[in-house]
Amino acid sequence: MKIRSLKQVLHWVFLVVGIISLITLAFSISTYLDYAREGYGLDISLSEAWLNDDWLVVRVYIENPGGLDIELDGGNVTLGTTYAIPHGILPNGLPQNSPLDIVKAGKNTTIVIWVPIGQDDLANIRDTGMTDISLDLRITIPTRYCRTHLLYQATGVEVVP
Amino acid sequence: MQDTPSLPGNRRGGGPIEPLRKGNDQDSTESIGEFWTKQEEETPEFDFSIYNSIPWMILKTSLAISMMTLVYILYGLHELPWRLFGSGTGLLILAGAPFFAGIILGYSFESPKLSLFYAIIIGFISIGLGFLIMSAPYLMKLAYYEMGFMSDVWFYGFFIPFLLTISFVPAGAMLAASTNVYE
């Protein structure tokens, strides 16, 4: 196709940019809705888990690629049974605060979650050395006036007794 | 004194105008005419109206809406890693997209008034769509929101896009409409 005029060039440039915009728009909408449904873009992975008497301690690594600060308020840990993450002074003498931590915009953080577990789960972990873990963390996004959940599941997690 | 041919209107100064193309005094005009005719024959007629046909109009309109909606929401949605908020480049894109869309929509009609009207209407549709997208998680109750959320949506989803639309879309549309007299 020969170029005949500036109008023609602009139309074809617009066509290309417009199609890129349409694809980006669809992807942005899908991402925005997924953020609100769960996690708000936080990427969570479990680094390690261990037992401290009858407490399960898990260290999780959280990445926040987005542009908003996100508070991790607390939540539940499910093994065989569901346990609420407590706030207050822990057996190691340090506090477990509320919120647990704030993941700054574009930053990463590591948090350690302590939770007391029941005898059944404790016995199971001591027998097998591993467990299935499901985390359900409540998160708050103060600048969006929004509260939602961050979910994480892992099977066969090795737990150091 | 040099003998110069008489010029119309008793103009003084300057010499005789040499024809740009070789030719003698008798056939210079005729040969230029032939040259133009030959050029026209070699250059196929370019019909710009193809870009204002129905399929192109649908394409242009939908892409203009998606382009403007995209930049409006990307400025408002600070949570996305590819947001436009907070950078000079982002501001340029924010102003450039409605201007560009205005230019393309402005080419669509011979009448500048119609171009302007059409471009602004498309701009307003983009604002509406952007507003709807930004408030979608609230309307769909995907998470728990406090009322401050909708205040933000009104500011970033309506107020700023409205200012951009009434400024840059007409500017682009009228720039394009002003060139519609030239092919």
Side-chain angles (χ1 to χ4, degrees), chain B residues 31-75:
Chain B
S31 64
I32 288 172
E34 279 172 11
F35 176 70
W36 284 354
T37 312
K38 199 177 160 198
Q39 262 204 334
E40 278 181 2
E41 280 169 3
E42 283 174 357
T43 311
E45 183 80 10
F46 176 63
D47 187 10
F48 187 74
S49 63
I50 187 178
Y51 294 109
N52 293 334
S53 58
I54 298 289
W56 261 96
M57 279 303 291
I58 294 170
L59 200 61
K60 281 200 285 190
T61 307
S62 52
L63 293 183
I65 291 173
S66 64
M67 190 189 285
M68 285 190 279
T69 306
L70 176 72
V71 293
Y72 294 161
I73 69 161
L74 286 192
Y75 190 73

